[in-house]
């Protein structure tokens, strides 16, 4: 019994192929499947799953903090349309770009350094404590996003939907910045996933708040986002909270990559040093 079945099509018949998870036409392709695509797939899926946990937990925490101010009545400060489209539209593309196209280690390094495969074989991308670290980060970021806005608008006449629109914007920008930190190999698809997510939020918000006075029986949030965007406070809160929220994660990753780099990071840094010195040209 194996965790993943690989069938090789040949003269022996198709029974092994039909019962397998992956099918190869030649035995020599098994090296590519294991050392390259297997390595990438494990790393992508682990980081994508953790990102899904992170972004959903953060959003739920934001709603929970509001309950402290409304007597746990179940009321929310974010418009219901934003709540429904948050996962479906606004934050769906970046994790997919990570889970499908991201490459933490280049292909040539995986071929020349097969010992890097231990990263996936030993399960280093998703440890038992990794989930709880992600939840702790979600808790911290939700506290920053909510209470910076709450402290800024304290004792003001701002409406509940304008406060919620600011929270939703800060949350989305924070999610996208966090995703940018997670991306290991930038491509045009990664850039588009982030740009489309942010653009879709503002396009929908402006359209929805412009034409929908009372839609689907929901409370009216007419012209809320336009009013928020016309104030400097809205933009300052969104920028400040996003920076404060991701700063610890970025700082920790920088120190770890500098002082205690893993095998893949060491291989990439060594490759860049060799390219600067011209050693690769001499090898050719």
């Amino acid at each position: 019994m194996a965790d993943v079945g690989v069938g090789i099509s040949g003269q022996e018949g198709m029974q092994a192929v039909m019962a397998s998870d992956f099918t190869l036409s030649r035995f020599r392709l098994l090296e590519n499947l294991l050392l390259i695509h297997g390595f990438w797939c494990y790393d992508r899926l682990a980081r994508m799953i953790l990102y899904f946990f992170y972004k959903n937990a953060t959003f739920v925490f934001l709603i929970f903090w509001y309950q402290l101010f409304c007597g746990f009545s179940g009321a929310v400060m974010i418009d219901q349309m934003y709540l429904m489209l948050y996962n479906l539209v606004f934050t769906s593309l970046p994790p997919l770009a990570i889970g499908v196209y991201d490459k933490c280690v280049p292909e040539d390094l995986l071929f020349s350094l097969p010992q890097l495969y231990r990263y996936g074989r030993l399960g280093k991308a998703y440890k038992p404590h990794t989930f709880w670290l992600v939840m702790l980060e979600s808790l911290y970021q939700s506290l920053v996003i909510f209470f910076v806005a709450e402290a800024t608008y304290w004792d003001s006449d701002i409406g509940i939907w304008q406060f919620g629109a600011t929270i939703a914007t800060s949350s989305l920008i924070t999610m996208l910045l966090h995703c940018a930190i997670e991306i290991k190999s930038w491509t045009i698809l990664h850039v588009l996933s982030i740009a489309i997510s942010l653009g879709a939020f503002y396009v929908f918000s402006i359209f929805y708040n412009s034409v929908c006075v009372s839609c689907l029986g929901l409370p009216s949030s007419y012209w809320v986002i336009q009013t928020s965007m016309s104030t400097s406070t809205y933009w300052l809160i969104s920028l400040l909270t996003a920076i404060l929220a991701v700063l610890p994660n970025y700082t920790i990753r920088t120190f770890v990559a500098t002082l205690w780099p893993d095998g893949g990071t060491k291989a990439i840094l060594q490759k860049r040093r060799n390219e600067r010195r011209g050693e690769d040209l001499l090898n050719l």
Side-chain angles (χ1 to χ4, degrees), residues 4-282:
V4 177
V6 179
I8 301 176
S9 59
Q11 299 179 355
E12 295 81 6
M14 298 295 292
Q15 291 184 357
V17 170
M18 295 177 65
S20 63
D21 300 298
F22 297 93
T23 302
L24 301 177
S25 60
R26 296 289 184 273
F27 186 80
R28 59 182 175 83
L29 299 177
L30 187 61
E31 182 183 21
N32 286 26
L33 179 66
L34 292 178
L35 298 183
I36 298 177
H37 297 287
F39 183 95
W40 287 342
C41 184
Y42 166 72
D43 180 74
R44 290 165 177 170
L45 288 178
R47 290 191 290 121
M48 183 185 70
I49 291 171
L50 289 173
Y51 184 80
F52 268 111
F53 281 133
Y54 151 77
K55 71 184 184 71
N56 286 287
T58 304
F59 208 63
V60 171
F61 279 137
L62 291 174
I63 299 174
F64 173 77
W65 301 134
Y66 184 71
Q67 302 308 303
L68 302 177
F69 296 86
C70 66
F72 289 90
S73 62
V76 293
M77 70 291 193
I78 300 176
D79 190 280
Q80 293 290 335
M81 293 300 295
Y82 295 151
L83 295 177
M84 290 187 288
L85 296 179
Y86 173 75
N87 272 316
L88 182 64
V89 177
F90 302 149
T91 60
S92 60
L93 291 180
L96 289 179
I98 293 177
V100 177
Y101 295 105
D102 206 24
K103 300 177 181 179
C104 58
V105 180
E107 180 178 352
D108 56 339
L109 288 179
L110 292 175
F111 261 133
S112 59
L113 301 171
Q115 63 268 26
L116 295 177
Y117 185 72
R118 290 180 300 178
Y119 173 79
R121 183 173 59 84
L122 299 177
K124 293 185 177 181
Y126 195 110
K127 291 290 187 179
H129 64 274
T130 307
F131 171 81
W132 298 110
L133 290 177
V134 170
M135 291 298 101
L136 183 62
E137 183 177 6
S138 297
L139 178 64
Y140 164 77
Q141 292 192 2
S142 66
L143 286 170
V144 171
I145 294 171
F146 183 87
F147 285 100
V148 167
E150 189 272 338
T152 304
Y153 289 128
W154 180 261
D155 200 23
S156 67
D157 58 353
I158 188 174
I160 180 176
W161 301 124
Q162 190 173 346
F163 175 70
T166 305
I167 293 289
T169 304
S170 302
S171 176
L172 177 62
I173 295 176
T174 302
M175 304 297 161
L176 297 180
L177 279 180
H178 184 94
C179 181
I181 296 175
E182 286 289 338
I183 294 175
K184 301 294 181 64
S185 58
W186 282 91
T187 66
I188 185 62
L189 295 174
H190 292 91
V191 176
L192 286 176
S193 67
I194 294 177
I196 291 175
S197 298
L198 187 61
F201 172 77
Y202 278 108
V203 169
F204 170 80
S205 299
I206 293 174
F207 175 79
Y208 171 63
N209 290 169
S210 299
V211 302
C212 194
V213 178
S214 179
C215 298
L216 304 175
L218 299 176
S220 177
S221 57
Y222 181 74
W223 217 253
V224 169
I225 194 67
Q226 289 87 341
T227 303
S228 301
M229 293 172 61
S230 64
T231 63
S232 59
T233 305
Y234 167 84
W235 298 105
L236 290 175
I237 290 176
S238 302
L239 181 62
L240 178 62
T241 53
I243 294 175
L244 291 177
V246 302
L247 186 60
N249 182 20
Y250 182 78
T251 304
I252 292 173
R253 287 174 180 264
T254 301
F255 274 108
V256 170
T258 303
L259 302 178
W260 305 285
D262 56 19
T265 304
K266 290 180 180 178
I268 294 174
L269 293 176
Q270 185 60 44
K271 178 185 178 182
R272 292 175 179 175
R273 295 190 193 100
N274 294 340
E275 290 176 348
R276 287 196 297 265
R277 296 170 184 170
E279 294 183 12
D280 290 345
L281 297 176
L282 295 177

